[in-house]
């Protein structure tokens, strides 16, 4: 079993035991627009090879990878995409970048004017069953999302 430290609030941290995933895919990618596009394409092919549905997972991967490139980029450093089936019928998507000092904001900015960007995590929140951020190891952060799917026998 793997163990993971999860920050619940600024003052509360807990150690969580994670069962080893049945299926796992992990790849480092360049923190460029091309790397973000490749993340989506590789995720789609990996889901296809596992016999899992592509949507909404590929949309979530596209958004999290784009955010890693736009907001988490450090020149010369890559980001990592991880796909894992962690529980029966649950896909966990993780994108880790090297800008742990820039955490995503869960709510859109206040002001009323429509911005050209900044709505992607709202999309992730609508498409995913759960999502969050894990800090560390320094200087990294991981933005994750979980999506339930029907087992092959029930599709």
């Amino acid at each position: 079993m793997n163990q993971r430290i999860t920050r619940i609030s600024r003052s509360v941290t807990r150690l969580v035991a994670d069962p080893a995933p049945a299926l796992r895919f992990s790849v480092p990618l360049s923190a460029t627009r091309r790397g973000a596009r490749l993340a989506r394409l590789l995720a789609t092919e990996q889901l296809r090879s596992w016999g899992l549905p592509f949507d909404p997972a590929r949309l979530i991967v596209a958004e999290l990878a784009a955010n890693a490139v736009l907001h988490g980029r450090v020149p010369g450093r890559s980001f990592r995409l991880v796909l894992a089936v962690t529980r029966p019928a649950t896909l966990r998507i993780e994108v880790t970048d090297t800008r742990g000092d820039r955490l995503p904001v869960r709510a859109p900015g206040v002001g009323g004017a429509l911005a050209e960007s900044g709505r992607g995590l709202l999309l992730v929140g609508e498409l995913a069953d759960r999502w969050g951020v894990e800090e560390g190891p320094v200087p990294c952060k991981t933005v994750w999302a979980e999506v339930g799917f029907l087992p092959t026998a029930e599709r």
Side-chain angles (χ1 to χ4, degrees):
M1 250 195 226
N2 298 329
Q3 292 186 336
R4 175 181 77 220
I5 297 175
T6 301
R7 175 173 255 170
I8 299 169
S9 69
R10 291 203 185 275
S11 60
V12 178
T13 303
R14 66 182 171 150
L15 187 62
V16 178
D18 289 332
L23 300 170
R24 182 176 165 84
F25 172 78
S26 177
V27 62
L29 297 159
S30 66
T32 62
R33 289 174 45 189
R34 181 175 285 167
R37 181 175 181 273
L38 185 56
R40 181 181 49 82
L41 294 172
L42 289 172
T44 300
E45 286 307 310
Q46 189 61 53
L47 293 170
R48 182 186 326 271
S49 75
W50 287 343
L52 299 179
F54 308 147
D55 291 322
R58 69 177 164 184
L59 300 172
I60 293 170
V61 168
E63 183 55 42
L64 296 183
N67 283 351
V69 168
L70 291 172
H71 307 294
R73 183 174 187 272
V74 173
R77 301 274 177 101
S78 60
F79 71 94
R80 178 168 295 279
L81 169 67
V82 175
L83 304 175
V85 177
T86 58
R87 288 179 238 154
T90 301
L91 174 67
R92 183 174 173 99
I93 301 161
E94 298 179 351
V95 174
T96 302
D97 66 50
T98 53
R99 289 297 304 263
D101 59 323
R102 298 181 81 182
L103 299 177
V105 178
R106 285 187 173 265
V110 183
L114 290 176
E116 289 184 25
S117 64
R119 304 281 190 248
L121 289 176
L122 291 175
L123 177 66
V124 170
E126 288 297 315
L127 295 173
D129 296 326
R130 291 168 294 290
W131 77 274
V133 180
E134 294 176 4
E135 296 178 57
V138 174
C140 299
K141 72 171 174 299
T142 299
V143 182
W144 59 269
E146 291 181 341
V147 179
F149 60 89
L150 292 175
T152 307
E154 296 178 30
R155 277 190 257 150

